Amino acid sequence: MTGPRVAVVTGAARGIGAATVRRLAGSGWAVVAVDRCADDPEVPYPLAEPGQLDALAEEFELVRAVRADVRDEQALSTAVDLAEREFGGLDAAVAGAAVILGGAPVWEQTDAQWRTLLDVDVLGVAHLARTAVPALLRRPEPRSGRFVALASAAAHRGLWRLGAYCAAKHAVVGLVRGLACDLRGTGVNALAVSPGSTRTAMLRATAGLYGLTDVDTLADRQLTERPLEPEEVAAVVAWACSADSVSVTGSVLHADGGFTS
């Protein structure tokens, strides 16, 4: 294979997604950075803005910005097509787009909240798999393709008044494990990265659900005794995308500051 390794990253405009784009692009990858870049009436906190995504494309020569909602499979297919057409193929897909909803016990969480969480956080991952995995498999053998989904510490521990979110992230881990089995012997691995409390807009939204003003409180159970920085999680995601992660498939990398230890 000649040319740079190529990735598609969703949820790319800010937080862990943006840090992942910067980490990969700074290491010579070509990246198609995908984000909705618009607020959602079902999500009670601001989502990323178009300028944040555009700034990534301006920062790196080999980053292309695509505005797309992960609920729209055709839009993701367009992003994957762009990666193959402009950069010659696809070597990694990172499913980073997600929202968090909650603030009430499971029996009070509404159907609208469930639908939004499942559509974005789970089906969004499945849509990326449906569009990106065939492209990963189009690379000639021997391959070192990677499908990496951002799960959460919430996929491994119950969290107070975040039951639907916990269920969605459990589903992401199950999806990745099943996908890894389906990819057996292909040279393409599937794995999840589960961050703990990370200093992002989503963490601020989580603090708001609990009526907290200090996001550091949400890291009390982490052995780091502080929230992680997006760049610290992105370093793990970037390693997961690399050929060095050949021994890891169908499993989870716990980038959670010791939360689940």
Side-chain angles (χ1 to χ4, degrees):
M1 182 184 72
T2 60
R5 284 175 66 82
V6 183
V8 170
V9 179
T10 68
R14 65 182 187 183
I16 295 170
T20 297
V21 172
R22 289 191 171 96
R23 181 83 180 201
L24 292 173
S27 300
W29 285 66
V31 183
V32 176
V34 180
D35 202 291
R36 170 187 167 93
C37 291
D39 288 343
D40 186 319
E42 298 297 334
V43 179
Y45 59 89
L47 299 180
E49 300 175 356
Q52 294 173 295
L53 188 64
D54 293 340
L56 282 175
E58 293 168 3
E59 190 175 342
F60 297 98
E61 182 181 355
L62 295 181
V63 172
R64 302 291 181 266
V66 173
R67 290 185 63 179
D69 192 321
V70 295
R71 291 171 287 195
D72 183 348
E73 185 176 337
Q74 184 55 52
L76 291 183
S77 181
T78 299
V80 171
D81 288 346
L82 173 62
E84 291 192 292
R85 183 175 66 254
E86 184 154 350
F87 300 124
L90 188 67
D91 302 289
V94 179
V99 297
I100 191 165
L101 299 171
V106 168
W107 60 90
E108 293 180 8
Q109 294 198 275
T110 67
D111 284 354
Q113 289 176 315
W114 277 98
R115 280 193 297 270
T116 299
L117 285 166
L118 294 175
D119 285 350
V120 177
D121 295 12
V122 185
L123 279 177
V125 178
H127 289 162
L128 185 63
R130 281 208 289 252
T131 55
V133 169
L136 296 171
L137 292 172
R138 282 192 283 273
R139 281 295 203 192
E141 296 183 0
R143 303 182 189 93
S144 57
R146 302 289 182 263
F147 186 93
V148 183
L150 269 293
S152 169
H156 314 283
R157 291 269 183 93
L159 298 178
W160 184 61
R161 294 192 172 180
L162 288 175
Y165 179 73
C166 291
K169 289 301 185 178
H170 272 74
V172 170
V173 171
L175 188 160
V176 163
R177 287 177 170 154
L179 177 60
C181 291
D182 290 340
L183 288 167
R184 177 178 179 173
T186 65
V188 177
N189 290 6
L191 58 153
V193 175
S194 283
S197 295
T198 305
R199 204 178 300 279
T200 63
M202 185 179 286
L203 189 65
R204 291 193 296 273
T206 306
L209 292 173
Y210 292 144
L212 301 173
T213 56
D214 182 4
V215 298
D216 287 13
T217 304
L218 295 174
D220 284 350
R221 294 172 65 183
Q222 293 183 178
L223 302 184
T224 55
E225 297 186 336
R226 63 167 176 82
L228 301 170
E229 299 299 329
E231 294 76 14
E232 293 169 330
V233 178
V236 178
V237 177
W239 179 83
C241 290
S242 75
D244 290 340
S245 66
V246 62
S247 64
V248 184
T249 190
S251 56
V252 180
L253 298 175
H254 292 274
D256 62 7
F259 179 84
T260 54
S261 65

